[in-house]
Amino acid sequence: MTAATAAHRAGETVPPLERTITFPEMIAYAGATWDWYRLHYDLDFIKAAKLPGVVVDGQVFGALLVEQIQDWLGPKCFVRTLEFGFKALVFAEETVRCEGTVTEAGDGYLDLDLRVVVVGDDGAVDRVAVAPASARVLLGTADGPGGKGAP
């Protein structure tokens, strides 16, 4: 077992990441990813669909989960796999929180159980947006096995 792995154990909580996703950020994200589906920016289209607001692009949740992991483990980790499914729509101006726990701490890797929840004004979970979600994270390498950033 490596020193990096020894520092973690099954059951350990991944520090949460909380973020409010704004309408201007959704427009910028649509432009950056070339995802121009109208539910992510077109207010008239959204109103006609009888939705309460701009729908957050599902790709955002993958980005936030990886950000959560990298904020926690630092630059010498590599998210090898990330899988997740959607449970509920999230709308611009809502606050989401990425949560997780370590399910296995192996030799040079961690397996994580993750989810994204929508947080109400009182800080309590309003609904689950993304679950199940899981990741395998390699420890001690910045670019994955054999990458030029590996020690």
Side-chain angles (χ1 to χ4, degrees):
M1 184 174 281
T2 66
T5 303
H8 301 284
R9 59 179 167 62
E12 178 181 358
T13 300
V14 177
L17 171 73
E18 199 163 286
R19 181 76 43 80
T20 300
I21 304 165
T22 67
F23 180 46
E25 288 171 332
M26 284 307 311
I27 293 170
Y29 192 85
T33 61
W34 289 85
D35 184 349
W36 294 110
Y37 187 60
R38 294 171 66 187
L39 283 179
H40 305 313
Y41 69 90
D42 185 332
L43 297 176
D44 291 333
F45 184 79
I46 292 160
K47 185 177 178 180
K50 298 184 170 92
L51 290 168
V54 176
V55 176
V56 174
D57 188 327
Q59 296 179 85
V60 168
F61 303 115
L64 290 175
L65 289 167
V66 170
E67 180 180 348
Q68 174 194 26
I69 294 164
Q70 290 181 331
D71 284 354
W72 173 45
L73 296 172
K76 288 204 167 190
C77 76
F78 179 79
V79 179
R80 174 90 184 245
T81 61
L82 176 66
E83 298 177 8
F84 58 93
F86 302 108
K87 289 284 192 193
L89 293 176
V90 176
F91 302 98
E93 310 306 330
E94 289 190 301
T95 299
V96 296
R97 182 172 54 234
C98 300
E99 304 173 333
T101 57
V102 176
T103 57
E104 183 177 340
D107 190 18
Y109 72 90
L110 298 175
D111 285 340
L112 307 175
D113 179 35
L114 305 163
R115 73 179 189 158
V116 179
V117 298
V118 177
V119 180
D121 292 336
D122 60 357
V125 174
D126 180 58
R127 65 189 180 279
V128 176
V130 173
S134 62
R136 172 158 283 191
V137 183
L138 305 180
L139 302 173
T141 61
D143 296 325
K148 62 184 174 183

